[in-house]
Amino acid sequence: MKLTPLNITLACVLVWAISEMGNEGEPLFSWVWLVVLSVLLVFVDILFRVWVRDIQRLWVMQIGFMIIVGIVTVLIKIQF
């Protein structure tokens, strides 16, 4: 399996979630949502790999996807 930005993102999210398990405070999201996020990231990564064969374009498209999702998330968070 080739290393892609979505794989790196998934690894970072999982490490962060596992490191937060020991804290006494309220978790940011539940284990169910962590599994949903993990499955979604793997699914989107597979879709990008099927659609884009060139690894350089794959990296650019996945980074662009993550930036767009991040911007939309911040905008939604600001609105509500």
Side-chain angles (χ1 to χ4, degrees):
M1 180 173 235
K2 294 178 182 152
L3 191 62
T4 60
L6 288 175
N7 289 346
I8 295 168
T9 302
L10 178 59
C12 291
V13 167
L14 290 176
V15 167
W16 170 75
I18 291 170
S19 70
E20 291 291 316
M21 279 181 17
N23 290 348
E24 295 176 8
E26 180 76 24
L28 185 61
F29 48 86
S30 68
W31 284 104
V32 173
W33 286 113
L34 180 64
V35 170
V36 169
L37 177 64
S38 299
V39 169
L40 182 68
L41 284 174
V42 168
F43 180 71
V44 170
D45 184 47
I46 291 171
L47 282 178
F48 271 116
R49 287 173 191 259
V50 168
W51 288 335
V52 181
R53 296 288 182 204
D54 182 31
I55 197 75
Q56 186 175 3
R57 279 190 64 215
L58 178 72
W59 270 74
V60 170
M61 290 182 73
Q62 285 190 1
I63 290 172
F65 173 77
M66 289 188 312
I67 290 171
I68 289 171
V69 168
I71 290 170
V72 169
T73 303
V74 168
L75 290 175
I76 289 172
K77 186 80 168 169
I78 289 172
Q79 293 296 321
F80 300 106

